Amino acid sequence: PCHPNDPHARTSALQFLKNQAGVLSPKMATLVRDFQVGFEGSFGAQHLSPRGLLSKFLCQMVCVEGIVTKCSLVSPKVVRSVHYCPATGGHEERNYRDATSLDLGMNVGGKAAVPTSSTYPTQDKDGNPLETEFGLSTYKDHQTVTIQEMPERAPLGQLPRSVDIVLDHDLVDKVRPGDRVQCIGVYRALANTANGTTNGVFKTTLLCNNVRVIGRDVGGLNMTADDITKIKEVGEREDVLHLLGRSFAPSIYGHDFIKRALVLQLIGGEEKNLENGTHLRGDINVLMVGDPSTAKSQLCRSAMGLAP
């Protein structure tokens, strides 16, 4: 057994998995070259939000929950390149490792793993040109997403904070903007040096080991026939707007017109294209202005709870 904060935990788990695979199915052990190990479970004090990611958690495995706000495109990232030299008929290979590699600092081939040069070889040591063997080279899928602190967990009056997540291999394209996710990975600082100097402030990111969707945008509700019948009955009432306004945030007294305005915003309008070419969008925007402590934030939270 190994602790998730042990820097060799992932390596130990991989070695154990390969040994077990060889015992249970020798054929599978020869066919599958790489195994991916994902951690999950209760992380105790390491269970955080983006706001709780402080310097004391650097180089530790943490569990972070938030809402996905941005996803990059999935792109291949070279892990090992193979090159052929027509002049000599020989092959050369080069492994690549950057600051987002999980095996940095670990014992690889008798020495500590360090970031490699990003220079792509075009000539061998004798100056002979090299051709890249793309079919023999190894790549991995790579994606970067940004997760933001959940609004209901952010302190009142403060903006939600966010953190960048690095996804590799089979973790890419598992989440989309709007998903509420739980990401488990190693919190790491990425050094940014210019001319060999640095100001001591580093960019931080989470190197994801496992990601789990704990909630999605409400896109498809399971409605029964009885629900649809009741909705149609309410829609035929003359006072449907007043009824919905009274049902909106019932714990907040008054503000009847504001509640009706928020209900109309949630419902939305009808998109129109006039004969003269004018386009009228159906989205409704609301600007809420008022004195402090008049339930503005609570009304917005109620709207978010109805249609997240």
Side-chain angles (χ1 to χ4, degrees):
C2 53
H3 194 274
N5 288 337
D6 181 0
H8 301 283
R10 182 173 177 272
T11 304
S12 302
L14 281 173
Q15 188 61 43
F16 174 77
L17 182 60
K18 290 180 180 179
N19 294 338
Q20 289 297 110
V23 173
L24 297 177
S25 176
K27 183 178 180 180
M28 184 182 70
T30 57
L31 293 177
V32 181
R33 300 177 59 184
D34 279 334
F35 294 91
Q36 303 299 330
V37 177
F39 293 94
E40 64 178 15
S42 176
F43 281 76
Q46 315 291 112
H47 197 129
L48 308 165
S49 69
R51 185 178 297 272
L53 289 173
L54 304 178
S55 59
K56 64 181 180 180
F57 295 109
L58 286 173
C59 297
Q60 295 187 24
M61 183 167 286
V62 296
C63 177
V64 182
E65 292 185 356
I67 301 177
V68 180
T69 58
K70 184 171 61 175
C71 293
S72 70
L73 296 176
V74 178
S75 56
K77 188 174 183 178
V78 62
V79 177
R80 182 180 65 94
S81 62
V82 179
H83 308 273
Y84 171 70
C85 179
T88 62
H91 287 81
E92 293 186 9
E93 69 175 46
R94 175 173 295 186
N95 296 317
Y96 298 87
R97 190 182 302 109
D98 60 9
T100 63
S101 299
L102 285 173
D103 58 350
L104 283 184
M106 296 184 182
N107 190 344
V108 178
K111 56 183 179 181
V114 296
T116 59
S117 172
S118 59
T119 304
Y120 207 67
T122 57
Q123 295 179 342
D124 63 5
K125 59 182 180 180
D126 298 325
N128 298 316
L130 296 175
E131 298 178 358
T132 303
E133 295 284 359
F134 293 100
L136 300 178
S137 301
T138 305
Y139 299 86
K140 66 179 179 180
D141 293 324
H142 177 80
Q143 185 182 29
T144 302
V145 304
T146 302
I147 66 172
Q148 190 180 75
E149 188 177 16
M150 296 184 184
E152 61 270 19
R153 299 184 183 178
L156 291 176
Q158 298 187 26
L159 293 176
R161 297 184 182 177
S162 59
V163 62
D164 291 334
I165 310 291
V166 176
L167 304 177
D168 289 327
H169 301 291
D170 58 335
L171 298 181
V172 301
D173 264 353
K174 275 196 170 183
V175 299
R176 63 188 183 191
D179 288 351
R180 294 171 178 256
V181 298
Q182 182 184 82
C183 296
I184 298 168
V186 178
Y187 187 49
R188 180 175 291 178
L190 306 181
N192 49 349
T193 58
N195 300 324
T197 62
T198 178
N199 60 359
V201 180
F202 296 158
K203 176 185 176 182
T204 57
T205 187
L206 185 70
L207 308 182
C208 193
N209 170 263
N210 191 17
V211 61
R212 186 169 66 94
V213 178
I214 58 179
R216 292 189 182 273
D217 283 341
V218 180
L221 296 177
N222 296 323
M223 293 188 180
T224 63
D226 188 39
D227 294 333
I228 297 176
T229 301
K230 292 181 179 179
I231 291 174
K232 291 182 178 180
E233 290 177 357
V234 173
E236 295 175 355
R237 294 181 53 165
E238 298 267 340
D239 60 342
V240 58
L241 181 57
H242 292 76
L243 175 63
L244 294 177
R246 293 196 304 269
S247 304
F248 184 88
S251 61
I252 300 175
Y253 178 77
H255 303 300
D256 295 333
F257 288 101
I258 297 176
K259 291 181 179 180
R260 294 173 199 166
L262 290 174
V263 168
L264 291 175
Q265 182 195 32
L266 291 175
I267 297 174
E270 182 180 355
E271 184 179 3
K272 296 181 180 179
N273 293 311
L274 303 182
E275 294 181 356
N276 58 4
T278 304
H279 175 72
L280 301 178
R281 62 180 184 178
D283 301 328
I284 300 175
N285 295 325
V286 173
L287 174 63
M288 194 182 303
V289 181
D291 295 327
S293 301
T294 54
K296 297 188 301 295
S297 299
Q298 295 302 320
L299 287 170
C300 291
R301 287 179 184 270
S302 298
M304 183 188 67
L306 290 174

